[in-house]
């Protein structure tokens, strides 16, 4: 049957380590079968990959039944590695409903779990009070927090922006009569985009978030390096 044919394509994972081993023949079927699939493209000789493996396995056990985990030997499955632009090892990608993005968190069990769980939830967290907003901003650690204040139209646009840019930081919405978009970055810095016209332009808001998501000078950490990489074409001086 069709169902049997699909299941027969998917490799089984042991009960001890629920991580699928995929190749060119099974990869596409696995992506289609799992709403969320985190794939580790590795090289057997890579020291960083060997350090990641136990952390990746712990995260897989923690999220078993909620998120599927898999691994691909990129030195053997060269075509897959080229298709998904694997240029270094390890490279981790999250596949979700036909879309994929590179993992931008730290290579530790807790960080992997936290990053993936964030992807499972809504792209934008809606809060109803300033106190709740402060708590969301306080939880950002070193990564930026993007706050939209306004009505339903701004919320819809902000959600569309956030849906494919979750790795940038935390996206929060709070209803307000005066539309405004804020970027909370670095050590308590806040940058604002005000006005109904400015905050209703998708491209303008997106560019504002992209440009302002990181401070002009700051320490690079596991929480904010995705933002610095996103601006790597802007002439960054590494010291």
């Amino acid at each position: 049957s069709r169902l049997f044919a699909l299941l027969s394509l998917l490799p089984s994972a042991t009960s001890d380590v629920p991580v699928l081993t995929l190749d060119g023949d099974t990869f596409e079927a696995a992506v289609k079968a799992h709403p969320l699939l985190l794939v580790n493209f590795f090289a057997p000789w890579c020291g960083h990959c060997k350090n990641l493996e136990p952390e990746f396995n712990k995260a897989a056990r923690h999220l078993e039944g909620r998120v599927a985990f898999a691994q691909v030997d990129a030195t053997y499955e060269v075509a897959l590695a080229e298709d998904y632009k694997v240029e270094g090892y390890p490279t981790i990608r999250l596949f979700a409903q036909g879309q994929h993005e590179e993992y931008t968190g730290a290579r530790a069990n807790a960080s992997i779990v936290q990053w993936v769980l964030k992807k499972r939830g809504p792209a934008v967290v809606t809060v109803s009070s300033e106190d709740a907003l402060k708590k969301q901003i306080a939880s950002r650690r070193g990564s930026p927090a993007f706050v939209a204040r306004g009505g339903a139209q701004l919320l819809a646009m902000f959600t569309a922006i956030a849906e494919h840019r979750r790795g940038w930081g935390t996206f929060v919405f709070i209803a307000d009569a005066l539309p405004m978009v804020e970027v909370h970055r670095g050590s308590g810095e806040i940058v604002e985009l005000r006005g109904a016209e400015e905050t209703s332009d998708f491209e303008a808001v997106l560019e504002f978030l992209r440009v302002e998501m990181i401070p002009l000078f700051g320490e690079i950490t596991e929480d904010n390096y995705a933002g610095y990489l996103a601006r790597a074409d802007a002439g960054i001086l590494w010291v």
Side-chain angles (χ1 to χ4, degrees), residues 22 43 82 114 126 137 147 152 170 210 217:
L22 303 177
E82 291 178 349
Q114 181 183 30
T126 299
I137 294 173
V147 179
T170 301
R210 188 188 73 83
F217 179 82

Side-chain angles (χ1 to χ4, degrees), residues 107-190:
R107 296 171 185 170
N109 166 35
S111 298
I112 295 171
V113 170
Q114 181 183 30
W115 190 90
V116 173
L117 287 179
K118 184 178 178 181
K119 300 297 179 179
R120 294 181 75 239
V124 177
V125 177
T126 299
V127 297
S128 57
S129 69
E130 290 293 334
D131 285 342
L133 176 60
K134 289 178 181 178
K135 290 180 181 179
Q136 287 291 331
I137 294 173
S139 68
R140 71 184 179 88
R141 298 196 298 176
S143 61
F146 309 105
V147 179
R149 300 173 180 269
Q153 184 177 352
L154 180 55
L155 173 59
M157 184 181 69
F158 203 58
T159 300
I161 290 174
E163 195 63 54
H164 300 297
R165 298 166 182 87
R166 297 184 184 218
W168 282 14
T170 301
F171 290 80
V172 188
F173 175 83
I174 184 169
D176 200 305
L178 299 175
M180 179 169 59
V181 176
E182 305 168 350
V183 175
H184 295 251
R185 67 188 191 186
S187 180
E189 293 183 44
I190 304 174

Side-chain angles (χ1 to χ4, degrees), residues 12 35 41 52 70 87 90 123 148 172:
S12 60
F41 293 87
L52 170 66
E87 299 176 347
V172 188

Side-chain angles (χ1 to χ4, degrees), residues 52-72:
L52 170 66
E53 184 178 10
E55 299 299 314
F56 195 76
N57 291 345
K58 289 176 187 176
R61 294 189 192 98
H62 187 91
L63 295 173
E64 187 172 9
R66 292 181 285 174
V67 179
F69 280 61
Q71 60 182 3
V72 172

